[in-house]
Amino acid sequence: MRQQKWLTKCTQLLCCILLVLGIWCLPQAALADNQQEINSILQTREIALEAINNRDFSKVQPYLHPSFTITTVDNQVFHTVPEFEKYWNQQFSSTIQNIKMNLTGDTVRTFLSPEIVVSSGEAVATFAFKDGKAADMGMRWTAVLQKLQDKWTIQSLHFSSNLLDNPVLNETKRLVWTTIIASAVGGFLIVMLVLRRQQKKEPDQPSQEPQVQNK
């Protein structure tokens, strides 16, 4: 009888130990799998960021979803890499010499399913202008990523910024006012130069007073 009770207690103790181990190992395994997925997501994000900063979109194309969509800060929407690449390169044809984007703060991630995640955060774009000046613009971004064939692809990417604090518009306004002032000063100097030349060319006017003849 005592031996049977001892076996029963040992069996109960063993079951408890196995149950505790199972409860402890399950979250650890799930956490490890989730961290692996996050590392893959971060890899996709770094490749996309490098493509924008280096203006080389060949490496990021395999990490874009077939129905990829990007919405820029000026409310333009692109669905293919060549379209967006053309738009991005056009930004450097006027006053902008270079643009570097850095992610700031923490990234918020929400897994809608094991294959779909929504990420959002903040970024700072540093604009280097051709006149040697530079300015920063704070932005917010939201990305939807979907896992396809063991690879996290960007399905949607959206950027937004404060339109009242836009360094590109501010630089454009500054250049416009500089051009207006320079044109006004140049025009004034040309007018003064023309008037001065006209005064030098005019002959002396004869006196209009009547001359008195000596008798």
Side-chain angles (χ1 to χ4, degrees):
M1 180 67 66
R2 289 182 179 179
Q3 185 177 4
Q4 185 176 2
K5 290 183 180 180
W6 182 82
L7 289 175
T8 302
K9 289 184 179 180
C10 288
T11 303
Q12 292 176 350
L13 180 60
L14 180 61
C15 290
C16 291
I17 293 174
L18 292 176
L19 181 61
V20 170
L21 289 175
I23 294 175
W24 182 81
C25 291
L26 182 61
Q28 296 297 320
L31 182 60
D33 292 340
N34 190 53
Q35 186 60 46
Q36 184 177 359
E37 298 295 344
I38 291 177
N39 291 337
S40 299
I41 293 171
L42 292 176
Q43 180 183 6
T44 299
R45 188 184 72 177
E46 291 302 318
I47 292 175
L49 189 63
E50 183 179 354
I52 292 177
N53 288 336
N54 296 333
R55 297 165 62 181
D56 181 10
F57 299 92
S58 58
K59 294 182 180 180
V60 74
Q61 192 158 2
Y63 293 87
L64 300 179
H65 193 275
S67 60
F68 164 74
T69 299
I70 181 171
T71 305
T72 58
V73 292
D74 52 353
N75 202 31
Q76 297 196 47
V77 181
F78 301 94
H79 301 283
T80 64
V81 171
E83 290 178 352
F84 178 75
E85 187 174 9
K86 180 180 178 181
Y87 158 83
W88 190 248
N89 290 330
Q90 287 175 349
Q91 306 305 309
F92 306 93
S93 60
S94 56
T95 61
I96 303 174
Q97 182 176 2
N98 196 12
I99 302 175
K100 292 293 184 182
M101 186 178 300
N102 295 309
L103 303 183
T104 60
D106 297 329
T107 299
V108 179
R109 296 185 187 86
T110 302
F111 282 87
L112 303 181
S113 71
E115 292 81 24
I116 298 177
V117 62
V118 178
S119 301
S120 61
E122 298 179 356
V124 174
T126 300
F127 292 81
F129 298 100
K130 293 181 179 179
D131 61 356
K133 295 186 177 181
D136 293 336
M137 180 173 68
M139 297 188 300
R140 294 184 181 275
W141 59 272
T142 302
V144 179
L145 290 88
Q146 183 175 354
K147 191 176 183 180
L148 294 177
Q149 299 178 352
D150 296 330
K151 183 185 297 182
W152 282 97
T153 61
I154 302 175
Q155 197 278 332
S156 177
L157 183 61
H158 183 275
F159 290 98
S160 63
S161 66
N162 184 1
L163 296 180
L164 300 179
D165 186 20
N166 191 319
V168 179
L169 294 179
N170 295 336
E171 179 67 12
T172 302
K173 291 178 181 179
R174 188 187 67 82
L175 290 177
V176 169
W177 278 109
T178 301
T179 303
I180 292 175
I181 295 174
S183 300
V185 172
F188 176 77
L189 293 176
I190 291 174
V191 171
M192 294 299 296
L193 182 60
V194 171
L195 292 176
R196 183 171 297 180
R197 288 183 177 179
Q198 287 181 350
Q199 289 177 355
K200 289 182 178 180
K201 290 181 179 180
E202 290 181 356
D204 294 337
Q205 297 293 334
S207 178
Q208 300 296 328
E209 295 181 359
Q211 296 182 357
V212 179
Q213 299 179 356
N214 295 326
K215 294 183 179 180

